Amino acid sequence: MRMHRRTVLALAVFTGLTAPSLALAADDTIKIGLLATFEGPFTVLGEDGERGAMTAVAEMNGTVAGKKVEIVKGSSDASPDSAVRAARKLVEQDGVKVLVGPLSGDEGIAVKDYAKTQPNVTFINGTSAAQDTTLRDPAENFFRFSTDGAQWMAGLGTYAFNDKGYKKVATVAEDYSFPYTQVFGFMAEFCKAGGHVPSKSWVPIGNKDFSSVIAAIPEDVDAIYVALGGADAVNFLTQYQQGGGSAPLIGGSITVDQTVLTSKGKLRDVLKGTPSAGPTADTNDAPAWKTFVEAYKKQPGAFPSPSLFAHGYYVDMKATLLGLDQVGGDVSDGGKKLRDALSKLSFDTPTGKVSLDKNRNAIADIFLTEVTEGADGNLMNKLVKVVPQVNQTLGIPEDEFMKLGAVNRDNPSCP
Amino acid sequence: MSLAIATNVTPQQNWLERLGAGHIILAVALVLYPLVASDFFLTQIGGYSLIFGMLGLSLMLLAGYGGMVSLAQITVAGIAAYAIAILGSNNSNVLGFGWPWWLAVPFALLSAALASALIGWISVRTEGIYTIMITLAIATATYYFAQQNYAIFNGHSGYAGIRAPAFWGIGWRDARPFYYLCLGLAVLSYAAVLYGSRSTFGMTLQAIRDNPRRMRALGYHVTAHKVFAWALAGIIAGLAGVLLVWFNGRVSPGTIGVDAAIDVLIIAVIGGLRHPIGPFLGAVVVVLMQTFAIDIVGAERFNTLIGMVFLVIVFVSPDGILGLWGRIKPHLAQESLRPGQ
């Protein structure tokens, strides 16, 4: 009896563990992995990233080089561990040879490290924008057609110093690699122009109480540079405004996007006139951008205007499909031809021309914006200026740029 | 939490009979598993299940035999994992003393055992829901501390570039060696818990669980026994932590977050706390669900499906999968349940 019971148990475990993988793709389809945050604090962003990627797929009518595109999704919760786990599942179990993703900064660095162990798989970034994903110790098979967080800040530091006349700025940002990169991008220009940053506050993601942070901001600063996302930005701005703070703001790329601008209350008055910079601008009236917005809106659940995540995933997925098209959808050589094609790829996106540098990081246009009230009463990012073809070293010669050191909490510094 | 543990061993049996046919068949199946499984199923499902099974086992030891439900097992594992990253080598340019594995691993296990004993020492004065609360508080506090401390834990990004050792000409992070490493250590932990539960200490612990006041009156040092159980559970959790950091090659606060702490509890509850095999069954179910639910219902609602399955299991059988088996067994074998089984 005892044996009988255990035997069945053992068999159950055994068969459960060996469920065969029926993931072999037919010859007339191409499988592309899509890794984004479908759970955790960045779920809304991940879903918009997916809309962007699917816009690119729909643009090609779901086929590339005569083969049907099959998207296999993987989900992470914005932690590096979960991103690697999801990437492993897509690559090792579902057998994708091309993977688009991930979304968040530290995830990108982790997936790049994983990419090195899978030389026959081609990885194309989603929207992760930490500098060191491609700048230091890059992976041969990791491509980023979306730009990094420092590039997104191009033009902002100079604009704040020269046009806005801010000489002293305090920064408040979340405590991980992407905001480090954003602060770096802002300060690289701002400090060079002659500005000073006497205080930098780093707060954990999901922080609720900002009172100690607000108390630590020096009284005599001309403005506060805020690189917080989603709920963190709303919480900080509300508490700062309620605490009687009146310094003008400078926004990071995801601080003054639609998720924050659509919030209600007095916050709106604080936000008006806030300069920011990023890979997109709401009032961009270039025909290519307008066409993209229309195509994007056909996706289920779309926002009135595509977020930076929809844009980033769109650009990276589009590049992937164009690359696959050039090689006739053939990745049977371990993706070597595809990677050659991607390295040389240069194409027009809704936000201008994109090409890659030697580290396979994008060179693209960046948009300097300012928050204004639209005709319908909604806040939006008005295009101030386009900074053309920003490269990863922000126009600084590479050896000089590398001497600035890796981005972290203390670098750069100009108190 | 009065759980009866089956201990029907008669001294006349030889060692083969004592081992039990079920164990032998299960062992053979698990040893031969690599012949049929792909690398993905070996490590991502097999190895990962064994690691989380060990974490569940350390909780089962405390909850099943000691009546102490802990949410801090992943924290203890995390301490071992961080110890490996700090004492060994990493590529995050923070600490990394470069100790060889045979020096780093014992230290990691020792720190896990000490940390676990400390958590136990703090929480043994509480009972029931208060133990859960205090261990949850410790787990959450450790998570936020690791998130914001840069000198030791390297903040949000944690440590990356941690390599599993290679010796005897084997790279232990390769699929097959890693699976066997996990299997070996899981079997060792399982056997140790099974043996320990029948030892004098194990019996005393179960007696303390059932009636601490009487045991105290009989002259037993109740607190010392409980704290020692915590230290033993800490060693098992620490082993799982070492395997986890070798498996991921990295450790960050996300590894020891509240989500992970609750995963361990779910694994133990789904599997069942009656017998040390329960957490391993639970781990297999949970890992399979978490890996493949997204293929079944798509990216938007897969966590709902996972939650529903767990709900159904607990609803149908409050004792988890083990309890479920206890219910259908009489129908299959047409034999009535003996009491205490």
Side-chain angles (χ1 to χ4, degrees), chain B residues 274-339:
Chain B
R274 283 162 159 270
H275 189 274
I277 198 72
F280 290 98
L281 294 178
V284 170
V285 172
V286 169
V287 168
L288 282 174
M289 281 304 294
Q290 287 184 341
T291 310
F292 293 107
I294 194 167
D295 294 340
I296 302 171
V297 288
E300 283 77 26
R301 295 281 174 267
F302 71 99
N303 275 323
T304 315
L305 178 71
I306 296 176
M308 299 270 279
V309 169
F310 296 165
L311 209 62
V312 166
I313 292 178
V314 178
F315 184 72
V316 172
S317 164
D319 288 342
I321 300 170
L322 280 180
L324 204 62
W325 182 247
R327 276 158 200 241
I328 53 173
K329 189 185 75 169
H331 299 289
L332 288 179
Q334 287 164 13
E335 185 198 77
S336 60
L337 276 169
R338 285 191 298 261

Side-chain angles (χ1 to χ4, degrees), chain B residues 124 205 208 212-213 215-216 220-227:
Chain B
V124 285
L205 188 67
I208 289 173
R213 201 177 285 178
M215 290 304 280
R216 198 172 282 126
Y220 284 94
H221 196 314
V222 169
T223 307
H225 275 84
K226 283 186 168 181
V227 170

